[in-house]
Amino acid sequence: MQRYNVVRLIREGLSGHKGWQPAWRKAEPKPSYDAVIIGGGGHGLATAYYLAKLHGMTNIAVVEKGWIGGGNSGRNTTIIRSNYLYDASAALYNHALTLWKDLSRELNYNIMMSHRGVLNLAHDEGEARQLKRRVEANRLNGVQAEWLEAKEVKAFCPPISVAADARYPVIGATLQRDGGVNRHDAVVWGFARAASDMGVDIIEQCEVTGIDTDKDVITGVRTTRGTIATEKVACVTAGHTSVIAGMLGLRLPIESHPLQALVSEPLKPVLPCVVMSNAVHVYMSQSSKGELVIGAGIDPYLSYTQRGSFDIIEHQMAALIELFPFVSRVRMMRQWGGIVDVCPDASPIISKTPVKGFYVDGGWGTGGWKATPGSGHALADLVANDEPNAIAAPFTLERFVTGNLVAEHGAAAVAH
Amino acid sequence: MFVISCPYCGARDQSEFSYGGEAHIARPEWREDMSDAEWADFVFMRSNPKGVLAERWVHSAGCRRFFNMLRNTATDEILAVYKIGERAPEVQAKLPATPCGEAPIGSGNDAVKVMQPGEAE
């Protein structure tokens, strides 16, 4: 692999940038692999990376129906935090946060990880009590968290309106200082490059159309570029998890919804942190390019169309202008939708299935991006050892039968 | 955004309606030997198709009555509206060529081009 460093940058700069190599190989599908990962998003590529790096499984393939970074990885708002209420979630998301911190160095790829802090606003007494409780729970789990009163919120993030007569008065907020944002393309490109370097085949424009089994044991996958024999298939296609599992006749506790986001024209730095508001269903950060990146709650109906409906955007903008009056004069440049698959308890599934050799990583709902390396790390462990590790164990499919849910819907400070 | 034809009030903007989830999920008859898995299937498991879905909507800012609808979730095309208690009508829908593929129009994702076997890149 061509290392990226300042010496090479200077050398390439002086020679017209003609010596750069592609970041990963364009692989053709081989007849068989030890494992096939369906889905070349952040989670799928992270899984491949950790399978190769930590478990020595390099004869594996990642198959992606579009191109790397063209699906949900390119459609999220890249917010990183781990301030979840329950122990199981805190373990998972904080593990991911720990991995994020060193990922640029590890991948030799600048993922532009910016630990600028994440504010979760409280607009009424009930919400404030709930958020303070979460701060305490976070601290017990080793998750960085603190409570800010309104004037401290204003000091930390000056553009917020904390007027007492506001429609949604800000009475305080939780702050996770090591939360932040990163660069979605860089993450998938970095993982793809590092995985490819260790021998993982990354096969783009290759859609899975069927999965072959023999007596409930995986034997291979059928794709638009031919059949691949394998004993292990990991389905990492959040958004389309039910469709892939449906090829095996599996029903999952998942419904897919559009989740919309939009960006403004680029501005000079105006917003120093990530701001989320549960009650008014909006969250905003500013990208390094200067665009305000704004996300909403999900559209309420099940759909695979990556658009969403206008009334959601309208509701979100109305709330945003209340919180940040200056935004009323900012033009919005692009709007899009991604498909999120939502579990009834708003927690993901990292699990074996009744079909031997078929693993599911999905149901991340509206918050999968922050978990990317943690999810890949846990799933790689599951695929290699056929047993979930301590982090993945609470997120099995069986929890919907036993009732042992990780019910983060109201607790996760997520604008669901 | 859709315009939804309420069977009682006629065509109205979607923002007047609330979503009621997948239709025709019958609560199982109570039996003493009912397993947790059967109960989980009723409570949690959903078909979540990329294609024709029978779903419930309620006209919450209108007549406040529930009704059923058939919609193609790959395109959001509304295929039929029918009342609670009626059987779903037979409909034709334009489905994606491959299970995870995108419909020619209406999917919002024009970026993913599905490669067919033998097709050059």
Side-chain angles (χ1 to χ4, degrees):
Chain A
M1 183 171 75
Q2 206 178 22
R3 297 280 303 174
Y4 295 156
N5 54 37
V6 69
V7 177
R8 186 174 292 276
L9 186 65
I10 292 166
R11 198 191 304 155
E12 290 297 333
L14 293 173
S15 62
H17 292 291
K18 295 208 173 65
W20 296 114
Q21 293 162 3
W24 65 89
R25 294 173 289 116
K26 291 270 179 218
E28 289 295 318
K30 289 195 279 191
S32 79
Y33 289 100
D34 294 342
V36 171
I37 295 160
I38 307 175
H43 289 227
L45 293 165
T47 306
Y49 171 74
Y50 289 116
L51 266 176
K53 185 185 171 215
L54 302 178
H55 303 283
M57 287 180 69
T58 52
N59 182 30
I60 59 176
V62 177
V63 294
E64 161 59 41
K65 72 169 175 173
W67 65 78
I68 298 303
N72 279 347
S73 294
R75 291 168 182 270
N76 69 91
T77 51
T78 73
I79 296 170
I80 308 297
R81 61 188 178 85
S82 61
N83 52 359
Y84 281 68
L85 182 70
Y86 292 114
D87 298 353
S89 320
L92 172 62
Y93 292 103
N94 214 39
H95 179 51
L97 183 60
T98 309
L99 294 170
W100 280 124
K101 286 178 179 171
D102 202 36
L103 205 58
S104 286
R105 191 176 306 125
E106 186 176 336
L107 297 177
N108 178 232
Y109 205 106
N110 183 7
I111 64 164
M112 296 166 75
M113 185 71 227
S114 160
H115 299 281
R116 60 182 67 176
V118 176
L119 282 176
N120 288 101
L121 305 180
H123 299 289
D124 59 53
E125 283 299 332
E127 205 177 10
R129 265 199 299 278
Q130 193 264 111
L131 290 185
K132 285 176 186 170
R133 174 194 176 208
R134 189 155 52 76
V135 166
E136 302 304 335
N138 288 161
R139 285 180 170 174
L140 289 172
N141 276 319
V143 175
Q144 201 279 331
E146 59 198 272
W147 172 257
L148 303 185
E149 297 294 339
K151 64 176 189 300
E152 296 168 306
V153 174
K154 183 76 181 169
F156 188 76
C157 184
I160 288 187
S161 165
V162 293
D165 61 348
R167 184 171 167 201
Y168 307 106
V170 174
I171 63 171
T174 65
L175 170 63
Q176 182 173 16
R177 287 185 192 272
D178 58 1
V181 291
N182 56 19
R183 171 101 175 103
H184 50 90
D185 285 329
V187 172
V188 288
W189 294 339
F191 271 127
R193 172 170 171 264
S196 176
D197 183 55
M198 288 185 284
V200 176
D201 279 356
I202 292 162
I203 306 160
E204 293 168 86
Q205 299 282 7
C206 180
E207 183 185 332
V208 170
T209 55
I211 302 174
D212 295 323
T213 57
D214 180 20
K215 297 188 184 70
D216 280 344
V217 178
I218 292 284
T219 57
V221 292
R222 275 168 278 146
T223 75
T224 50
R225 294 174 67 175
T227 301
I228 301 170
T230 184
E231 290 177 353
K232 291 183 173 186
V233 171
C235 167
V236 200
T237 56
H240 282 74
T241 313
S242 300
V243 179
I244 299 286
M247 293 172 183
L248 293 166
L250 296 175
R251 274 160 65 82
L252 297 177
I254 285 176
E255 291 199 312
S256 298
H257 294 262
L259 173 65
Q260 300 181 72
L262 63 168
V263 295
S264 74
E265 58 190 331
L267 305 174
K268 287 184 177 177
V270 286
L271 191 65
C273 61
V274 181
V275 181
M276 310 183 71
S277 170
N278 220 3
V280 300
H281 267 203
V282 73
Y283 38 100
M284 179 160 85
S285 62
Q286 189 171 21
S287 74
S288 306
K289 219 166 27 170
E291 300 153 327
L292 297 175
V293 183
I294 300 157
I298 58 171
D299 279 69
Y301 54 89
L302 190 166
S303 178
Y304 289 87
T305 62
Q306 292 172 319
R307 293 178 304 188
S309 40
F310 186 71
D311 57 325
I312 301 289
I313 290 288
E314 196 179 18
H315 169 80
Q316 170 189 7
M317 289 292 107
L320 190 71
I321 289 168
E322 278 292 324
L323 279 177
F324 297 96
F326 80 94
V327 174
S328 66
R329 301 189 302 281
V330 175
R331 278 170 294 228
M332 294 299 152
M333 302 295 274
R334 296 190 299 283
Q335 172 273 348
W336 66 89
I339 306 304
V340 297
D341 43 42
V342 179
C343 281
D345 61 351
S347 287
I349 298 167
I350 306 173
S351 182
K352 292 201 278 191
T353 63
V355 179
K356 185 169 166 47
F358 185 70
Y359 308 93
V360 169
D361 181 304
W364 290 91
T366 58
W369 181 257
K370 67 175 83 65
T372 300
S375 160
H377 198 272
L379 181 63
D381 211 85
L382 176 63
V383 171
N385 301 325
D386 202 40
E387 278 302 320
N389 65 12
I391 285 178
F395 298 101
T396 58
L397 268 173
E398 284 85 60
R399 76 178 191 267
F400 297 98
V401 175
T402 61
N404 194 12
L405 304 180
V406 187
E408 288 283 1
H409 246 308
V414 189
H416 286 296
Chain B
M1 175 175 288
F2 324 121
V3 171
I4 296 176
S5 290
C6 170
Y8 306 101
C9 310
R12 299 289 184 87
D13 193 289
Q14 180 216 314
S15 58
E16 290 188 16
F17 297 83
S18 302
Y19 190 56
E22 188 175 335
H24 309 301
I25 299 176
R27 187 188 174 96
E29 292 289 325
W30 187 82
R31 301 191 324 272
E32 212 158 76
D33 61 345
M34 193 159 133
S35 69
D36 289 348
E38 275 177 87
W39 189 242
D41 194 64
F42 162 67
V43 176
F44 293 125
M45 302 303 163
R46 295 292 178 265
S47 53
N48 198 23
K50 186 166 190 170
V52 180
L53 171 71
E55 61 190 5
R56 301 178 302 179
W57 285 81
V58 55
H59 193 182
S60 42
C63 62
R64 300 174 68 185
R65 288 212 257 183
F66 271 91
F67 59 92
N68 291 329
M69 203 161 98
L70 292 180
R71 183 169 53 92
N72 183 353
T73 61
T75 60
D76 284 344
E77 185 187 4
I78 296 172
L79 304 165
V81 175
Y82 56 103
K83 293 176 181 172
I84 294 287
E86 293 178 359
R87 289 170 71 93
E90 293 287 324
V91 291
Q92 294 286 319
K94 289 190 205 75
L95 298 178
T98 49
C100 296
E102 301 300 335
I105 54 158
S107 88
N109 185 7
D110 302 326
V112 174
K113 181 175 182 298
V114 177
M115 301 294 283
Q116 299 302 328
E119 193 181 351
E121 196 168 338

